[in-house]
Structure formats: structure tokens, C-alpha cells
Amino acid sequence: METKREKILDTYSGLTFKNRKDHVVELETDHTPQEITANKRSVPGLMINRGCCYAGCKGVVLGPIQDAVTLEHGPIGCGYYTWMTRRNKARGINGKSLIQYSFSTDLQETDIVFGGVKKLKQAVKEAVEIFHPKAVFICATCPVGLIGDDINSVAKWAKEEFGVQCISFSCEGYKGVSQSAGHHIANNGLMKDVIGTGTNKPTTPFSINLLGEYNIGGDAFETERILTKIGYQVVSKFTGDGVYDEIASAHLANLNLVQCHRSINYIAEMMKVKYGIDWLKVNFIGIKETIRTLREMAAYFDDEGLKKRTEEVITEELTQIQGDWDYYKKKLSGKKAGIFVGGSRSHHYMDLLADFGVETVVTGYEFAHRDDYEGREVIPDIKLDADTKNIEQLSPEKDESMYRRYIDDDTYNELKGKIELDYYKGMMKDMKKGSLIIDDYNEAETEDALSLYKPDIFYSGIKDNFMILKSGTPAKQMHSYDYDGPYTCFKGAINFAHDTFDEVNAPAWKLLTPPWNTEPTLEGSLGNS
Ligand code: CFM
Ligand code: HCA
């Protein structure tokens, strides 16, 4: 009998089938990872959900830093489409935040022909004079790389001319295969020119940096509330509600917490080598996951007072939500979910859904790497110069280096003694036999997955959201949370359950008939590979 995976792939012709077959996995055994192909170039013509390198660098990692001007060097479209589309909230510093602005050099055809450096210099000058930012981040888009504008020299010039930190990021959209390369480029820039330059010394030993938390819908606010209540000092957040000086002083904290491993593991690994700061893979999405995380943190610092306070806060927060937790568990238990988001949320939200008895049966990522699916031993994605102790980052194009394919044996051995190898758990370990995992999912595959698995609710991306809604499936998009949130920690979990409950029970679904209720589902046989 054809498996569900085979049915999905069956719709493809030869070449596309050959490409896609290794990106689609149906688990053969409970909680046992299988090999999946990931972080590869998409098939042209398929309606995928990925973004570009520039989106990952400018939009995702650098954009949320509220006292920096993130200046797009390129045509206005790239600036416009990354203007406030991501819900990374910021408190503001003395009532001021720059994240609501879109800064662009607005390159025109003549600039493409004669070069855009003059315009870029003028834009930096205006940005500095009008907004007085802590830093200017110049982010290149595709045409800039193609015409060869020297953005590095402009950054150097601006530093001297205005006495302001100015960093250039060569994050042209076409680099790499998705936004993932952009995360890497942004991480490298922050590590090279920002982290380590600050002097804000923490005042308690329980000082942490919250990495890979972008404060979508206020998530970081809620996590920070819990951490502060326990007695932790949050030195910096990367980069949600981000503050330049705090990030510059991150090296003075005692522990790094990694929420979104995909987008920021590079910084965690580099800080471990350069400053000896350990990192913990945490997850503040989900009640049980939050408790596990808080206990692991307390165990790490190994302080009796901290452990006691951790338990007190857990009890206090649980007492406040227990009634709601029981209620929503009763209402949602037994339901099946599908989740497709970028590079880490699918797994995190799987944990939160499990708190309410909801099983994730079909899932995947846009641009994750194999480790996000399969798990891995954590090995730094860097080269260490044995004499100077300088760290050289491997190029983002070689991003699959997670499996130490691009680290020579000598470097590996050099690092192995110095660094404790950790294990990073991917999503497959938390999934059951028969569940489906799709990498770089596209619209056709999502449609087929919907009709084959018939989830009660589907957590989607932005681009695929409407197609799912039109199929009559309750859908909630997990990039901006459909303007809700926060969803972190204890109260956030209840917010999420409440929104999910509303979505599933909205009367609108009774007015729609999914196509598979009136038309046959998939037909045909498996093509030759
Ligand atoms: Fe990390 Fe993110 Fe995500 Fe991501 Fe993103 Fe995002 Fe996402 Mo959109 S950093 S990988 S590049 S958790 S922007 S806050 S929602 S795709 S799953
Ligand atoms: C990005 C940001 C994004 C876009 C979501 C989408 C977000 O990666 O460029 O357009 O589907 O969360 O806003 O992931």
C-alpha cells in the first residue's frame, strides 16, 4: 500500500520527484530520527515559503536592535517589504525606538549604472544627523553585490567622519539558499564588531544573555518577567527589544540561553570559545518546557537559594494558571495539529501543544538544517587559530558544516578538548511513528498533507495561511501570531491555548467545505526515482 509520503511525492514528475523525495520523511518508529535533506536550494517554480539572505540578516537578526539604524542599501522594494512586517516589539529607550522606520538608499537605475556609493554616504550622513543612532548597520541587497559597491569602505569612512559605529553586512539576497545564510552573516558581524566592546558589568552572579529571542508579540517581555522574578539579571537580549550597549556587554554575562538555535547558534558557539561562556538550549514555549528550562538553569548555577526561588516561582505561576490549563486541556485534548514555520518554532510549539494533549502529526521547516530535525552533537562552526586564539568563522555558504564536514580534523581535535560537546535535540525525537516531516515545504505538499492528515488546526506561515483557511481548516499563523501573544512561559501558554480554542471553534468553519469532502483525494502511482 502506498504510504502517505509516497502519495504526496507521487504528484511530481521525474526531476522534481528526485529532488523532493529526500526532503519528505514519514517516521518509521516512534521518537527515532531519520535522515532528511535540508538547507538546499529550492526547486524553481515550486511555491515555497522561504525568504532570502537579506531578510535573515537585516530583518530577523539586526532589525530588532532598537537604537541602531538598519540601513538597506538597494532598491526601495527590499526596504519596503521588510518594513515592520515582523512583530519584534521593543520598549524604546527614553521613549525612542528606531524599529518602526524603514531606512533605504532607494537605488535607481542610474545608481545601478554609475554606482550607489555616493548615495549610501549621503544616507548614512542623514541617518546619523537626524536620528543619532548608537550604530548604523549597512545591509546590502542583490544589485549592490552585482555592481560591487564597496560598502565596507563606506562603513569605515562613516566611523571616522561621524565617530559612530558603522558596520557593513554583505547579505545580498541571493547568498545561500534562504534567510539562514543571513542569520550567519549577522551573527558574524555582531561577534566581530559589537560583542566584547561594552563595559556594563552585571551586578549578580546569575547573569544571562537571552539569545535567539526576537520578542515577537512580546514573548521576551514575559520571559524576562519570569527570569527577573527568580533573580536572574538579563544582561542582553538577541535581539528582540535589543539595545546596542547591552549586546556589546554580552560577554560579561555568565551564561547564554539559546531559544532559537537555528538563527543564533553561531554566536553561542563563538562566545563559548572566545569568552568561555557556556550555553544552554532552552525553551520558554510550553509549560513543561519552561519548568524544565528553569530547573536546568538553576542546576547550572548550582545555588541553593536560586533553586529554592525557582521552585517558588514555578509554584506561584502554576497556581495562577492551573484552572485555565485544566480547562483548555479538556477542550483541546485529542486534537491533531500541523505546524510549518521557519526554523525552530515548529518544534517549540509542538511542545506547547503537547501540554494541552494536542499531537503534531505533520510538520516541517522552511530553512532549518539537518540538526534541527535530527539533532546533533554540538560542534562549533568555526576555526580557531591555535597561536593567536583568533576565531575565524566559516563562510555561510558552507552552512551545513554542522556535521563537521568543513572543519578539518586538527581543528576539531583542537576544539574538542576545550569545548564540552553538547547534544542538541531535533524535532524528530519528539514525534511518533507515521507522522510526516517536510523540509522546505511548498504549497502543493501542504495541500496534500492537509487532505491526508486532516489536522484539526494548522499553524502556518504567512504566505501559505490563506490557502489553508480556504480549505476550511482552522489556521493560525505562527510568524506574527496573528497579532496575538505573548505565548511564552506560563501565562503565554494560556494565551496560546485560548487563541487556539477560539480558532478551532470559530463558526466560520461550518460554512466551508474542504475540497477533499467532495472530490477524490490523491490518485496515481509512484514515479521512478
Ligand atoms: Fe528562529 Fe524566529 Fe524561527 Fe527564525 Fe523567521 Fe521568526 Fe520563524 Mo518568521 S528567528 S527560525 S528566521 S524562531 S522570522 S522569530 S517566525 S521564520 S520559526
Ligand atoms: C522573514 C520574516 C518572516 C516572514 C514570514 C513570511 C516573519 O523570515 O523574512 O513572510 O512568511 O516571521 O515575519 O519569517
PDB file of all heavy atoms in Angstrom, residues 17 67 74 138 148 150 152 249 260 270 277 285 300 328 337 354 383 449 453:
ATOM      1  N   PHE A  17      10.545  15.023  -8.528  1.00  0.00           N
ATOM      2  CA  PHE A  17      10.430  13.892  -7.596  1.00  0.00           C
ATOM      3  C   PHE A  17      11.799  13.556  -7.006  1.00  0.00           C
ATOM      4  O   PHE A  17      11.960  13.383  -5.807  1.00  0.00           O
ATOM      5  CB  PHE A  17       9.838  12.675  -8.323  1.00  0.00           C
ATOM      6  CG  PHE A  17       9.877  11.432  -7.488  1.00  0.00           C
ATOM      7  CD1 PHE A  17       8.913  11.200  -6.510  1.00  0.00           C
ATOM      8  CD2 PHE A  17      10.897  10.499  -7.648  1.00  0.00           C
ATOM      9  CE1 PHE A  17       8.969  10.063  -5.713  1.00  0.00           C
ATOM     10  CE2 PHE A  17      10.956   9.369  -6.852  1.00  0.00           C
ATOM     11  CZ  PHE A  17       9.995   9.146  -5.884  1.00  0.00           C
ATOM     12  N   ASP A  67      18.116  50.824  18.975  1.00  0.00           N
ATOM     13  CA  ASP A  67      18.817  52.104  18.917  1.00  0.00           C
ATOM     14  C   ASP A  67      19.839  52.139  17.781  1.00  0.00           C
ATOM     15  O   ASP A  67      20.727  52.986  17.764  1.00  0.00           O
ATOM     16  CB  ASP A  67      19.463  52.476  20.269  1.00  0.00           C
ATOM     17  CG  ASP A  67      20.261  51.334  20.871  1.00  0.00           C
ATOM     18  OD1 ASP A  67      20.278  50.232  20.280  1.00  0.00           O
ATOM     19  OD2 ASP A  67      20.867  51.541  21.942  1.00  0.00           O
ATOM     20  N   GLY A  74      19.937  49.530  -1.396  1.00  0.00           N
ATOM     21  CA  GLY A  74      19.351  48.838  -2.539  1.00  0.00           C
ATOM     22  C   GLY A  74      18.058  49.508  -2.959  1.00  0.00           C
ATOM     23  O   GLY A  74      17.717  50.589  -2.464  1.00  0.00           O
ATOM     24  N   ILE A 138      24.801  48.784   7.697  1.00  0.00           N
ATOM     25  CA  ILE A 138      24.503  48.852   6.258  1.00  0.00           C
ATOM     26  C   ILE A 138      24.260  47.431   5.749  1.00  0.00           C
ATOM     27  O   ILE A 138      25.119  46.556   5.893  1.00  0.00           O
ATOM     28  CB  ILE A 138      25.690  49.467   5.478  1.00  0.00           C
ATOM     29  CG1 ILE A 138      25.992  50.876   5.991  1.00  0.00           C
ATOM     30  CG2 ILE A 138      25.412  49.474   3.976  1.00  0.00           C
ATOM     31  CD1 ILE A 138      27.297  51.456   5.460  1.00  0.00           C
ATOM     32  N   GLY A 148      28.909  45.806  -7.230  1.00  0.00           N
ATOM     33  CA  GLY A 148      30.170  45.865  -6.498  1.00  0.00           C
ATOM     34  C   GLY A 148      30.420  47.136  -5.709  1.00  0.00           C
ATOM     35  O   GLY A 148      31.563  47.517  -5.485  1.00  0.00           O
ATOM     36  N   ASP A 150      31.385  49.293  -2.776  1.00  0.00           N
ATOM     37  CA  ASP A 150      32.249  48.909  -1.650  1.00  0.00           C
ATOM     38  C   ASP A 150      31.651  49.417  -0.333  1.00  0.00           C
ATOM     39  O   ASP A 150      32.019  50.479   0.175  1.00  0.00           O
ATOM     40  CB  ASP A 150      33.655  49.479  -1.880  1.00  0.00           C
ATOM     41  CG  ASP A 150      34.650  48.956  -0.855  1.00  0.00           C
ATOM     42  OD1 ASP A 150      34.211  48.287   0.104  1.00  0.00           O
ATOM     43  OD2 ASP A 150      35.851  49.226  -1.004  1.00  0.00           O
ATOM     44  N   ASN A 152      32.021  48.215   2.609  1.00  0.00           N
ATOM     45  CA  ASN A 152      32.980  48.160   3.726  1.00  0.00           C
ATOM     46  C   ASN A 152      33.714  49.485   3.880  1.00  0.00           C
ATOM     47  O   ASN A 152      33.889  49.990   4.996  1.00  0.00           O
ATOM     48  CB  ASN A 152      34.031  47.065   3.494  1.00  0.00           C
ATOM     49  CG  ASN A 152      33.406  45.704   3.438  1.00  0.00           C
ATOM     50  OD1 ASN A 152      32.329  45.482   4.003  1.00  0.00           O
ATOM     51  ND2 ASN A 152      34.048  44.792   2.739  1.00  0.00           N
ATOM     52  N   SER A 249      27.905  44.366  25.738  1.00  0.00           N
ATOM     53  CA  SER A 249      28.398  43.885  27.041  1.00  0.00           C
ATOM     54  C   SER A 249      28.042  42.429  27.309  1.00  0.00           C
ATOM     55  O   SER A 249      28.253  41.924  28.418  1.00  0.00           O
ATOM     56  CB  SER A 249      27.801  44.745  28.169  1.00  0.00           C
ATOM     57  OG  SER A 249      28.192  46.092  28.017  1.00  0.00           O
ATOM     58  N   CYS A 260      16.054  30.304  20.033  1.00  0.00           N
ATOM     59  CA  CYS A 260      16.040  29.849  18.640  1.00  0.00           C
ATOM     60  C   CYS A 260      17.458  29.465  18.233  1.00  0.00           C
ATOM     61  O   CYS A 260      18.274  30.309  17.874  1.00  0.00           O
ATOM     62  CB  CYS A 260      15.510  30.920  17.695  1.00  0.00           C
ATOM     63  SG  CYS A 260      15.760  30.450  15.979  1.00  0.00           S
ATOM     64  N   MET A 270      30.534  30.703  19.294  1.00  0.00           N
ATOM     65  CA  MET A 270      31.715  31.570  19.250  1.00  0.00           C
ATOM     66  C   MET A 270      32.014  32.161  20.626  1.00  0.00           C
ATOM     67  O   MET A 270      33.169  32.307  21.019  1.00  0.00           O
ATOM     68  CB  MET A 270      31.522  32.680  18.210  1.00  0.00           C
ATOM     69  CG  MET A 270      31.582  32.182  16.779  1.00  0.00           C
ATOM     70  SD  MET A 270      31.537  33.505  15.544  1.00  0.00           S
ATOM     71  CE  MET A 270      29.811  33.809  15.349  1.00  0.00           C
ATOM     72  N   ILE A 277      31.967  31.248  27.766  1.00  0.00           N
ATOM     73  CA  ILE A 277      30.603  31.286  28.326  1.00  0.00           C
ATOM     74  C   ILE A 277      29.816  30.070  27.844  1.00  0.00           C
ATOM     75  O   ILE A 277      29.679  29.840  26.641  1.00  0.00           O
ATOM     76  CB  ILE A 277      29.869  32.591  27.913  1.00  0.00           C
ATOM     77  CG1 ILE A 277      30.683  33.800  28.380  1.00  0.00           C
ATOM     78  CG2 ILE A 277      28.452  32.628  28.474  1.00  0.00           C
ATOM     79  CD1 ILE A 277      30.106  35.137  27.948  1.00  0.00           C
ATOM     80  N   ILE A 285       8.732  28.159  25.386  1.00  0.00           N
ATOM     81  CA  ILE A 285       7.431  27.922  24.767  1.00  0.00           C
ATOM     82  C   ILE A 285       6.935  26.574  25.285  1.00  0.00           C
ATOM     83  O   ILE A 285       7.529  25.540  24.970  1.00  0.00           O
ATOM     84  CB  ILE A 285       7.543  27.868  23.223  1.00  0.00           C
ATOM     85  CG1 ILE A 285       8.262  29.083  22.664  1.00  0.00           C
ATOM     86  CG2 ILE A 285       6.183  27.635  22.578  1.00  0.00           C
ATOM     87  CD1 ILE A 285       7.441  30.279  22.351  1.00  0.00           C
ATOM     88  N   TYR A 300      22.441  24.564  36.678  1.00  0.00           N
ATOM     89  CA  TYR A 300      23.696  25.040  36.112  1.00  0.00           C
ATOM     90  C   TYR A 300      24.423  25.937  37.121  1.00  0.00           C
ATOM     91  O   TYR A 300      25.621  25.786  37.365  1.00  0.00           O
ATOM     92  CB  TYR A 300      23.466  25.803  34.804  1.00  0.00           C
ATOM     93  CG  TYR A 300      24.738  26.398  34.280  1.00  0.00           C
ATOM     94  CD1 TYR A 300      25.630  25.628  33.543  1.00  0.00           C
ATOM     95  CD2 TYR A 300      25.092  27.729  34.575  1.00  0.00           C
ATOM     96  CE1 TYR A 300      26.829  26.142  33.110  1.00  0.00           C
ATOM     97  CE2 TYR A 300      26.294  28.252  34.144  1.00  0.00           C
ATOM     98  CZ  TYR A 300      27.162  27.461  33.408  1.00  0.00           C
ATOM     99  OH  TYR A 300      28.364  27.974  32.996  1.00  0.00           O
ATOM    100  N   TYR A 328      -8.474  24.179  29.291  1.00  0.00           N
ATOM    101  CA  TYR A 328      -8.110  24.077  27.870  1.00  0.00           C
ATOM    102  C   TYR A 328      -7.607  22.674  27.508  1.00  0.00           C
ATOM    103  O   TYR A 328      -7.760  22.224  26.378  1.00  0.00           O
ATOM    104  CB  TYR A 328      -7.089  25.155  27.486  1.00  0.00           C
ATOM    105  CG  TYR A 328      -7.724  26.534  27.418  1.00  0.00           C
ATOM    106  CD1 TYR A 328      -7.313  27.567  28.251  1.00  0.00           C
ATOM    107  CD2 TYR A 328      -8.768  26.781  26.530  1.00  0.00           C
ATOM    108  CE1 TYR A 328      -7.908  28.814  28.188  1.00  0.00           C
ATOM    109  CE2 TYR A 328      -9.368  28.033  26.466  1.00  0.00           C
ATOM    110  CZ  TYR A 328      -8.935  29.042  27.298  1.00  0.00           C
ATOM    111  OH  TYR A 328      -9.535  30.271  27.237  1.00  0.00           O
ATOM    112  N   ALA A 337      -2.607  18.375  15.174  1.00  0.00           N
ATOM    113  CA  ALA A 337      -2.152  19.661  14.618  1.00  0.00           C
ATOM    114  C   ALA A 337      -1.126  19.474  13.507  1.00  0.00           C
ATOM    115  O   ALA A 337      -0.410  18.467  13.462  1.00  0.00           O
ATOM    116  CB  ALA A 337      -1.532  20.507  15.722  1.00  0.00           C
ATOM    117  N   ALA A 354       1.654  19.774  23.158  1.00  0.00           N
ATOM    118  CA  ALA A 354       1.630  18.543  23.955  1.00  0.00           C
ATOM    119  C   ALA A 354       1.118  18.824  25.371  1.00  0.00           C
ATOM    120  O   ALA A 354       0.453  17.982  25.983  1.00  0.00           O
ATOM    121  CB  ALA A 354       3.018  17.926  24.000  1.00  0.00           C
ATOM    122  N   LYS A 383      36.651  28.184  13.032  1.00  0.00           N
ATOM    123  CA  LYS A 383      38.038  27.713  13.048  1.00  0.00           C
ATOM    124  C   LYS A 383      38.794  28.514  14.096  1.00  0.00           C
ATOM    125  O   LYS A 383      38.594  29.715  14.223  1.00  0.00           O
ATOM    126  CB  LYS A 383      38.670  27.926  11.679  1.00  0.00           C
ATOM    127  CG  LYS A 383      38.442  26.770  10.763  1.00  0.00           C
ATOM    128  CD  LYS A 383      39.268  26.934   9.496  1.00  0.00           C
ATOM    129  CE  LYS A 383      39.036  25.718   8.622  1.00  0.00           C
ATOM    130  NZ  LYS A 383      39.483  25.953   7.265  1.00  0.00           N
ATOM    131  N   ALA A 449      -0.809  17.345   2.357  1.00  0.00           N
ATOM    132  CA  ALA A 449      -0.685  16.948   3.769  1.00  0.00           C
ATOM    133  C   ALA A 449      -1.991  17.226   4.515  1.00  0.00           C
ATOM    134  O   ALA A 449      -2.420  16.445   5.357  1.00  0.00           O
ATOM    135  CB  ALA A 449       0.471  17.698   4.414  1.00  0.00           C
ATOM    136  N   TYR A 453      -3.817  14.119   6.263  1.00  0.00           N
ATOM    137  CA  TYR A 453      -3.742  14.043   7.731  1.00  0.00           C
ATOM    138  C   TYR A 453      -4.931  14.706   8.420  1.00  0.00           C
ATOM    139  O   TYR A 453      -5.169  14.493   9.588  1.00  0.00           O
ATOM    140  CB  TYR A 453      -2.419  14.651   8.222  1.00  0.00           C
ATOM    141  CG  TYR A 453      -1.242  13.743   8.001  1.00  0.00           C
ATOM    142  CD1 TYR A 453      -0.606  13.691   6.763  1.00  0.00           C
ATOM    143  CD2 TYR A 453      -0.767  12.906   9.000  1.00  0.00           C
ATOM    144  CE1 TYR A 453       0.467  12.842   6.535  1.00  0.00           C
ATOM    145  CE2 TYR A 453       0.305  12.054   8.792  1.00  0.00           C
ATOM    146  CZ  TYR A 453       0.917  12.028   7.554  1.00  0.00           C
ATOM    147  OH  TYR A 453       1.985  11.172   7.343  1.00  0.00           O
TER     148      TYR A 453
END
